[in-house]
Every structure is written in structure tokens, then in C-alpha cells.
């Protein structure tokens, strides 16, 4: 995720970063400019259409459709941001619950060996979840020190929660934990897979395909018909105007596409790996 100063206006205006939509749209913007220039040339120089031509009235359609497309884009960006923010809340809950579990275990457990076990497994869950959500390979080194083989297991975070649960009940059988102790730490233990499931729900349930395709087609045909009407009033100035309108509309759609899946490696995705490293530092300090 990009770190920035929200008060630095001039840096936003004049600096282009890797995730800037202008870079991604530049080839299409050039094509839109050429297309608009051709339409303007044909209407002004070749066909020599007058200002009274009926094509001038197409701007009425653009005025009505502009309101509709703005509503669709507002809904689109809000929906995408809700998914991004929901992912951030889930990882915030993971940070808090990992700390809470570590604090409780530090007060309950007396033997250093038991504390070391959870000092390794709790942060390992956050690291495994981050990689799991990115569909990246999870190193077996996370599990080798616990003497378990997960090579044939597809869901690695499940295995870590299973491992911690087995350890807790083993401590209970050794009379190192009481029933009250297990009830005391149960909310944090169950929250791990609840958070994992919520993140998987966001990751595996994209915006409906038909809605996304319709919006892209709407933007495309809206922009493609703009030059026909605006040439009569703007002449060749229609070229920069149409380019700017396309840039604004397409940029909103691109931004929504990027943030609706917040667990990838894009510039604006959640820094889950960094949060996992912070969890590790916190747990090592507590335990």
C-alpha cells in the first residue's frame, strides 16, 4: 500500500506513481484522441456539416446518460471501497486478537517451552494467511519446526489453528490449563478461522460479471458517441475534452477494479505481509 502525505497537493497533481491510472490508460487515450480527431475532421472539413444538423442534438442524450453513468460509477466505487475496508477491518481484528491471545497465554502459561510454542505459531498463522490470500506458495519451513507434514494439505492456515488447538488440549490433559482457561482464550482461537473465512469470502466473490461488463460497455459507447455532437460547438477542441472525459470515467472503473480485491500485490492493496511482520514483533515481545 502506498504511504503518502494527504496534505501535499502539488505532489499529487504533478507526480505520476506506478499505480497512476494515466499510465495504464495512455495507449487507449491516444487511440481515443486519434478517433476523435478523425470524427472532427470528417464533420468539419469533409462533410462540412452546419450547426443546424440534427447530429447536434445528440448532446441531449449525453446529458441524460451522463447522470446515469455517474450514479453507476458512484455505486461501483463505493462497493469496491467497502470490500477494501472490510478486508482492512478483518486484518485489524487479526492483529488485536493475536495480541489478546498472547497476553492471556503469557499470564496463564508458566513454562517457557509452552510460551515459545505459541510465540512461533501465532505469528505463523498471520504469515500463512497473507500468503494464502495472495495465492503464493507457503514455505514448509513454517511447519517443519513443529514436526508436521503439510505438503499434501491445501489450506495451510487451517493446519496452524489445528496445531494450536491440539497443543491447548494437550496442556489441559497435563493439568497446565483448566476448563476456565480454555473458555477464557476460546474467543481469540475461534476468531482466527472466522477472519480467514471472511477474507476468503471477499477474495472469492468478485463483483458480478454482468454488472462489470455492462459498465465497461456503457463507458465505451458513451465516450465513442461524444465527438459527434460536441464538434459543432467545440470544433477541434473536442479532442482534449473527450480525452479528459474518458480519462475520468475509465480511471474510476480502474480504481474500483484494483481495490475490490484487497489481498493482492497491487500498489493500493492491503499491506498484509507488513501487518503479519508487526504481529510477529508484538507476539515476540509479549511472550
Amino acid at each position: 500500500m502506498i504511504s503518502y502525505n494527504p496534505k501535499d497537493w502539488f505532489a499529487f497533481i504533478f507526480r505520476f506513481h506506478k499505480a497512476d491510472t494515466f499510465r495504464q490508460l495512455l495507449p487507449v487515450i491516444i487511440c481515443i484522441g486519434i478517433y476523435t480527431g478523425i470524427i472532427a475532421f470528417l464533420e468539419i472539413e469533409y462533410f462540412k456539416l452546419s450547426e443546424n444538423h440534427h447530429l447536434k442534438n445528440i448532446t441531449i442524450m449525453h446529458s441524460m446518460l451522463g447522470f446515469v453513468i455517474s450514479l453507476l460509477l458512484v455505486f461501483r466505487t463505493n462497493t469496491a471501497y467497502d470490500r477494501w475496508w472490510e478486508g482492512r477491518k478483518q486484518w485489524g481484528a487479526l492483529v488485536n486478537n493475536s495480541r489478546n491471545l498472547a497476553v492471556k497465554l503469557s499470564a496463564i502459561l508458566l513454562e517457557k517451552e509452552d510460551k515459545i510454542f505459541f510465540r512461533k505459531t501465532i505469528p505463523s498463522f498471520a504469515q500463512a494467511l497473507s500468503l494464502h490470500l495472495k495465492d503464493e506458495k507457503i514455505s514448509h519451513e513454517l511447519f517443519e519446526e513443529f514436526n508436521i507434514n503439510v505438503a499434501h494439505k491445501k489450506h495451510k492456515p487451517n493446519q496452524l489453528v489445528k496445531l494450536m488447538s491440539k497443543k491447548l488440549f494437550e496442556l489441559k490433559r497435563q493439568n497446565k490449563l483448566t476448563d476456565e482457561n480454555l473458555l477464557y482464550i476460546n474467543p481469540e482461537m475461534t476468531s482466527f478461522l472466522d477472519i480467514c473465512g471472511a477474507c476468503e469470502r471477499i477474495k472469492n466473490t468478485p463483483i458480478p460479471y454482468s454488472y462489470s461488463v455492462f459498465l465497461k460497455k456503457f463507458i465505451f459507447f458513451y465516450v465513442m458517441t461524444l465527438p459527434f455532437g460536441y464538434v459543432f460547438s467545440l470544433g477541434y477542441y473536442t479532442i482534449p475534452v473527450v480525452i479528459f472525459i474518458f480519462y475520468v470515467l475509465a480511471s474510476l472503473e480502474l480504481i474500483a477494479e484494483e481495490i475490490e480485491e484487497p489481498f493482492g500485490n497491487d500498489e493500493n492493496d492491503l499491506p498484509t505481509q507488513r501487518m503479519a511482520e508487526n504481529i510477529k514483533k508484538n507476539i515476540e515481545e509479549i511472550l
Side-chain angles (χ1 to χ4, degrees), residues 68-106:
V68 176
I69 202 170
S70 64
L71 290 178
L72 288 173
L73 285 172
V74 166
F75 175 76
R76 177 79 170 93
T77 51
N78 284 346
T79 302
Y81 182 75
D82 284 344
R83 292 165 59 87
W84 186 92
W85 184 241
E86 176 64 20
R88 181 62 185 89
K89 288 195 296 184
Q90 293 297 332
W91 270 83
L94 179 61
V95 172
N96 293 338
N97 291 337
S98 298
R99 292 170 178 168
N100 288 333
L101 179 60
V103 168
K104 291 179 178 181
L105 289 174
S106 69

Coordinates of all heavy atoms in Angstrom, one line a residue, residues 68-106:
V68 N -26.9 9.1 -15.4 CA -27.0 7.7 -15.2 C -25.6 7.1 -14.9 O -25.4 6.3 -14.0 CB -27.7 7.0 -16.3 CG1 -27.7 5.5 -16.1 CG2 -29.1 7.5 -16.5
I69 N -24.7 7.4 -15.8 CA -23.3 6.8 -15.6 C -22.6 7.2 -14.4 O -21.9 6.5 -13.7 CB -22.5 7.1 -16.9 CG1 -21.4 6.0 -17.0 CG2 -21.9 8.5 -16.8 CD1 -20.6 6.1 -18.3
S70 N -22.9 8.5 -13.9 CA -22.3 9.0 -12.7 C -22.9 8.2 -11.5 O -22.1 7.8 -10.6 CB -22.6 10.5 -12.5 OG -24.0 10.7 -12.4
L71 N -24.2 7.9 -11.5 CA -24.8 7.1 -10.4 C -24.2 5.7 -10.4 O -23.8 5.1 -9.3 CB -26.3 7.0 -10.6 CG -27.1 8.2 -10.4 CD1 -28.6 8.0 -10.6 CD2 -26.9 8.8 -8.9
L72 N -24.0 5.1 -11.6 CA -23.4 3.7 -11.7 C -22.0 3.7 -11.1 O -21.6 2.8 -10.4 CB -23.4 3.2 -13.1 CG -24.8 2.8 -13.7 CD1 -24.7 2.5 -15.1 CD2 -25.4 1.6 -12.9
L73 N -21.2 4.7 -11.5 CA -19.8 4.8 -11.0 C -19.7 5.0 -9.5 O -18.8 4.5 -8.9 CB -19.0 5.8 -11.8 CG -18.7 5.5 -13.3 CD1 -18.1 6.7 -14.0 CD2 -17.7 4.3 -13.3
V74 N -20.6 5.8 -9.0 CA -20.6 6.1 -7.5 C -20.9 4.7 -6.8 O -20.2 4.4 -5.9 CB -21.7 7.1 -7.2 CG1 -21.9 7.1 -5.7 CG2 -21.2 8.5 -7.6
F75 N -21.9 4.0 -7.3 CA -22.2 2.7 -6.7 C -21.0 1.7 -6.8 O -20.7 1.0 -5.9 CB -23.4 2.1 -7.4 CG -23.8 0.7 -6.9 CD1 -24.4 0.5 -5.7 CD2 -23.5 -0.4 -7.7 CE1 -24.7 -0.8 -5.3 CE2 -23.8 -1.7 -7.3 CZ -24.4 -1.9 -6.1
R76 N -20.4 1.8 -8.0 CA -19.3 0.9 -8.3 C -18.1 1.1 -7.3 O -17.5 0.2 -6.7 CB -18.8 1.0 -9.7 CG -17.6 0.2 -10.1 CD -18.0 -1.2 -10.4 NE -16.9 -1.9 -11.0 CZ -16.0 -2.7 -10.3 NH1 -16.1 -2.8 -9.0 NH2 -15.1 -3.3 -11.0
T77 N -17.7 2.4 -7.2 CA -16.6 2.7 -6.4 C -16.9 2.5 -4.9 O -16.0 2.0 -4.1 CB -16.1 4.2 -6.6 OG1 -17.3 5.1 -6.5 CG2 -15.5 4.4 -8.0
N78 N -18.1 2.8 -4.5 CA -18.5 2.6 -3.1 C -18.4 1.1 -2.7 O -18.0 0.7 -1.6 CB -19.9 3.1 -2.8 CG -19.9 4.7 -2.7 OD1 -18.8 5.3 -2.5 ND2 -21.0 5.3 -2.7
T79 N -18.9 0.3 -3.6 CA -18.9 -1.2 -3.4 C -17.5 -1.7 -3.3 O -17.2 -2.5 -2.5 CB -19.7 -1.9 -4.6 OG1 -21.0 -1.4 -4.6 CG2 -19.7 -3.4 -4.3
A80 N -16.7 -1.2 -4.2 CA -15.3 -1.7 -4.2 C -14.6 -1.2 -2.9 O -13.8 -2.0 -2.3 CB -14.5 -1.1 -5.4
Y81 N -14.8 0.0 -2.5 CA -14.2 0.5 -1.3 C -14.7 -0.2 0.0 O -13.9 -0.5 0.9 CB -14.4 2.0 -1.1 CG -13.7 2.6 0.1 CD1 -12.3 2.8 0.1 CD2 -14.4 2.8 1.3 CE1 -11.7 3.3 1.2 CE2 -13.8 3.3 2.4 CZ -12.4 3.5 2.4 OH -11.8 4.0 3.5
D82 N -16.0 -0.6 0.0 CA -16.5 -1.4 1.1 C -15.8 -2.7 1.2 O -15.5 -3.2 2.4 CB -18.0 -1.6 0.9 CG -18.8 -0.4 1.2 OD1 -18.3 0.5 1.8 OD2 -20.0 -0.4 0.7
R83 N -15.4 -3.3 0.1 CA -14.7 -4.6 0.1 C -13.3 -4.4 0.7 O -12.8 -5.2 1.5 CB -14.6 -5.2 -1.3 CG -16.0 -5.7 -1.8 CD -15.9 -5.9 -3.3 NE -14.9 -6.9 -3.6 CZ -15.2 -8.2 -3.7 NH1 -16.4 -8.7 -3.4 NH2 -14.2 -9.1 -4.0
W84 N -12.6 -3.3 0.2 CA -11.3 -3.0 0.7 C -11.3 -2.7 2.2 O -10.4 -3.2 2.9 CB -10.8 -1.7 -0.1 CG -9.4 -1.4 0.2 CD1 -8.3 -1.8 -0.5 CD2 -8.9 -0.5 1.2 NE1 -7.1 -1.2 0.1 CE2 -7.5 -0.4 1.1 CE3 -9.5 0.2 2.2 CZ2 -6.7 0.3 2.0 CZ3 -8.7 1.0 3.1 CH2 -7.3 1.0 3.0
W85 N -12.3 -1.9 2.7 CA -12.3 -1.5 4.1 C -12.7 -2.8 4.9 O -12.2 -2.9 6.1 CB -13.3 -0.4 4.3 CG -13.4 0.1 5.7 CD1 -14.5 0.1 6.5 CD2 -12.3 0.7 6.4 NE1 -14.1 0.6 7.7 CE2 -12.8 1.0 7.7 CE3 -11.0 0.9 6.2 CZ2 -12.0 1.5 8.7 CZ3 -10.2 1.5 7.1 CH2 -10.7 1.8 8.4
E86 N -13.6 -3.6 4.4 CA -13.9 -4.8 5.2 C -12.7 -5.7 5.3 O -12.4 -6.3 6.4 CB -15.0 -5.6 4.4 CG -15.4 -7.0 5.0 CD -16.0 -6.8 6.4 OE1 -16.5 -5.7 6.7 OE2 -16.0 -7.8 7.2
G87 N -11.8 -5.8 4.3 CA -10.6 -6.6 4.4 C -9.7 -5.9 5.5 O -9.0 -6.7 6.2
R88 N -9.6 -4.6 5.5 CA -8.8 -3.9 6.5 C -9.3 -4.2 7.9 O -8.5 -4.4 8.8 CB -8.7 -2.4 6.2 CG -7.8 -1.6 7.2 CD -6.4 -2.1 7.1 NE -5.5 -1.5 8.1 CZ -5.3 -1.9 9.3 NH1 -6.0 -3.1 9.7 NH2 -4.5 -1.3 10.1
K89 N -10.6 -4.2 8.1 CA -11.1 -4.4 9.4 C -10.8 -5.8 9.9 O -10.6 -6.1 11.1 CB -12.7 -4.2 9.4 CG -13.0 -2.7 9.3 CD -14.5 -2.5 9.7 CE -15.4 -3.2 8.7 NZ -16.9 -2.9 9.0
Q90 N -10.9 -6.8 8.9 CA -10.6 -8.2 9.3 C -9.2 -8.3 9.7 O -8.9 -9.0 10.7 CB -10.9 -9.1 8.1 CG -12.4 -9.2 7.8 CD -13.3 -9.8 8.9 OE1 -12.8 -10.6 9.7 NE2 -14.5 -9.4 8.9
W91 N -8.3 -7.7 9.0 CA -6.8 -7.8 9.4 C -6.6 -7.0 10.7 O -5.7 -7.4 11.5 CB -5.9 -7.4 8.3 CG -5.6 -8.5 7.4 CD1 -6.3 -9.1 6.4 CD2 -4.4 -9.4 7.5 NE1 -5.7 -10.2 5.9 CE2 -4.5 -10.4 6.6 CE3 -3.3 -9.3 8.4 CZ2 -3.6 -11.4 6.4 CZ3 -2.3 -10.3 8.2 CH2 -2.5 -11.3 7.2
G92 N -7.3 -5.9 10.9 CA -7.2 -5.2 12.2 C -7.6 -6.1 13.3 O -7.0 -6.1 14.4
A93 N -8.7 -6.8 13.1 CA -9.2 -7.8 14.1 C -8.2 -8.9 14.4 O -8.0 -9.3 15.5 CB -10.5 -8.4 13.7
L94 N -7.5 -9.3 13.3 CA -6.5 -10.4 13.5 C -5.3 -9.9 14.3 O -4.8 -10.6 15.2 CB -6.0 -10.8 12.1 CG -4.9 -11.9 12.1 CD1 -5.4 -13.2 12.8 CD2 -4.4 -12.2 10.7
V95 N -4.9 -8.6 14.1 CA -3.8 -8.0 14.9 C -4.2 -8.0 16.4 O -3.5 -8.4 17.3 CB -3.5 -6.6 14.4 CG1 -2.5 -5.9 15.3 CG2 -2.9 -6.7 13.0
N96 N -5.4 -7.5 16.6 CA -5.9 -7.3 18.0 C -6.1 -8.7 18.7 O -5.6 -8.9 19.9 CB -7.2 -6.6 18.0 CG -7.1 -5.1 17.6 OD1 -6.0 -4.6 17.7 ND2 -8.2 -4.5 17.2
N97 N -6.7 -9.6 18.0 CA -6.9 -11.0 18.6 C -5.6 -11.7 18.9 O -5.5 -12.5 19.8 CB -7.9 -11.8 17.8 CG -9.3 -11.2 17.8 OD1 -9.6 -10.5 18.7 ND2 -10.0 -11.5 16.7
S98 N -4.6 -11.6 18.0 CA -3.3 -12.2 18.2 C -2.7 -11.6 19.4 O -2.1 -12.4 20.2 CB -2.4 -12.0 16.9 OG -3.0 -12.5 15.8
R99 N -2.7 -10.3 19.6 CA -2.1 -9.7 20.8 C -2.9 -10.2 22.1 O -2.3 -10.5 23.1 CB -2.2 -8.2 20.7 CG -1.3 -7.6 19.6 CD -1.7 -6.1 19.5 NE -0.8 -5.4 18.5 CZ -1.1 -4.2 18.0 NH1 -2.2 -3.6 18.4 NH2 -0.3 -3.7 17.2
N100 N -4.2 -10.2 22.0 CA -5.0 -10.6 23.1 C -4.7 -12.0 23.5 O -4.6 -12.4 24.7 CB -6.5 -10.4 22.9 CG -6.9 -9.0 22.8 OD1 -6.3 -8.1 23.4 ND2 -8.0 -8.7 22.1
L101 N -4.6 -12.9 22.6 CA -4.3 -14.3 22.9 C -2.9 -14.4 23.5 O -2.8 -15.2 24.5 CB -4.4 -15.1 21.6 CG -4.1 -16.6 21.7 CD1 -5.1 -17.3 22.7 CD2 -4.1 -17.3 20.4
A102 N -2.0 -13.7 23.0 CA -0.6 -13.7 23.5 C -0.6 -13.2 25.0 O 0.1 -13.8 25.8 CB 0.3 -12.9 22.6
V103 N -1.3 -12.2 25.2 CA -1.4 -11.6 26.6 C -2.0 -12.6 27.6 O -1.5 -12.8 28.7 CB -2.2 -10.3 26.6 CG1 -2.5 -9.8 28.0 CG2 -1.4 -9.2 25.9
K104 N -3.1 -13.2 27.1 CA -3.7 -14.2 28.0 C -2.8 -15.4 28.3 O -2.7 -15.9 29.4 CB -5.1 -14.7 27.4 CG -6.1 -13.6 27.4 CD -7.4 -14.0 26.7 CE -8.5 -13.0 26.7 NZ -9.7 -13.4 26.1
L105 N -2.2 -15.9 27.2 CA -1.3 -17.1 27.4 C -0.1 -16.7 28.2 O 0.4 -17.6 29.0 CB -0.9 -17.6 26.0 CG -2.0 -18.3 25.2 CD1 -1.5 -18.6 23.8 CD2 -2.5 -19.5 25.8
S106 N 0.4 -15.5 28.1 CA 1.6 -15.1 28.9 C 1.2 -15.1 30.4 O 2.1 -15.4 31.2 CB 2.1 -13.8 28.5 OG 1.1 -12.8 28.9

